[in-house]
Amino acid sequence: KFGEGNDGLKTIVSRFGQEFENNFSEEVSAQATRHVFFRHAQTHLNTPIMEDTIFLGRTDVQINQESNSIPGELTMAIEQNNVSTYIVSPLRRTMETVKMLGSSNSANINMQVSRELIEIDYGSFEGKTLRETRNTYSEVFKEWAAGRDPKFPGGGENYESVINRLH
């Protein structure tokens, strides 16, 4: 058998394999494009308050300037991955969040707007509370409870539509 009785050759082949794997991994890692996904900062409409939580999709509102700070984990991920381009939805809150990230370096922010990244279209649910929609559109909640993915009434999307839009 190959290498039987020849520990020196086995060691050489093993070291070669390990070194090749390490070098290959470093080369691929150095050339790979990295993506950091994050959600926009909080607005006055998307503050979670359980039954009074508002369906906020395509309504274009600004972020809460006074109460927003960027989480340390996000800042660290952006620094570690050397983020150079931000791809945002056309909604103001996404662009304002990116500007907050680069507030000390806003001249060097490269922002590209992508219509495909716009929030889900909640249709008739848009701007309404969870409580209001649960009472008015109980059939949609029954569909969700059954594990189905109905479209939001009034011309809205469902989650499958959003995933297809992103492909």
Side-chain angles (χ1 to χ4, degrees):
K1 292 181 176 180
F2 175 76
E4 192 174 286
N6 191 344
D7 289 336
L9 183 57
K10 282 183 182 179
T11 301
I12 291 170
V13 170
S14 178
R15 283 185 188 154
F16 171 79
Q18 288 173 344
E19 191 172 317
F20 177 81
E21 184 178 335
N22 289 341
N23 289 338
F24 180 79
S25 180
E26 287 174 18
E27 185 67 26
V28 167
S29 182
Q31 294 182 25
T33 299
R34 290 177 179 76
H35 300 276
V36 178
F37 290 91
F38 58 93
R39 191 160 189 255
H40 60 79
Q42 204 169 55
T43 73
H44 72 283
L45 290 178
N46 71 340
T47 305
I49 314 170
M50 296 312 293
E51 285 296 312
D52 291 325
T53 297
I54 295 173
F55 283 91
L56 176 63
R58 297 189 176 185
T59 301
D60 199 9
V61 296
Q62 63 186 44
I63 61 174
N64 294 340
Q65 297 292 341
E66 66 281 348
S67 66
N68 275 296
S69 62
I70 302 301
E73 300 87 20
L74 177 56
T75 303
M76 190 168 57
I78 288 168
E79 289 171 0
Q80 287 176 346
N81 290 289
N82 197 24
V83 175
S84 60
T85 302
Y86 295 88
I87 304 171
V88 298
S89 88
L91 298 177
R92 180 174 33 187
R93 59 187 179 259
T94 63
M95 293 179 242
E96 288 173 349
T97 301
V98 169
K99 287 177 184 169
M100 275 179 54
L101 281 168
S103 59
S104 62
N105 196 16
S106 58
N108 295 330
I109 293 176
N110 181 15
M111 209 177 327
Q112 295 176 7
V113 176
S114 171
R115 178 91 181 125
E116 288 81 15
L117 291 178
I118 196 164
E119 298 270 357
I120 189 169
D121 184 344
Y122 285 122
S124 299
F125 280 44
E126 184 73 23
K128 292 186 173 67
T129 66
L130 186 58
R131 182 187 329 266
E132 289 173 299
T133 55
R134 188 184 315 273
N135 294 332
T136 308
Y137 301 100
S138 60
E139 69 282 351
V140 174
F141 286 85
K142 288 176 187 170
E143 290 284 310
W144 285 332
R148 291 187 279 280
D149 184 25
K151 288 192 176 189
F152 284 92
E157 296 176 288
N158 61 1
Y159 293 104
E160 182 181 6
S161 302
V162 173
I163 290 167
N164 290 335
R165 173 169 31 99
L166 294 171
H167 281 119

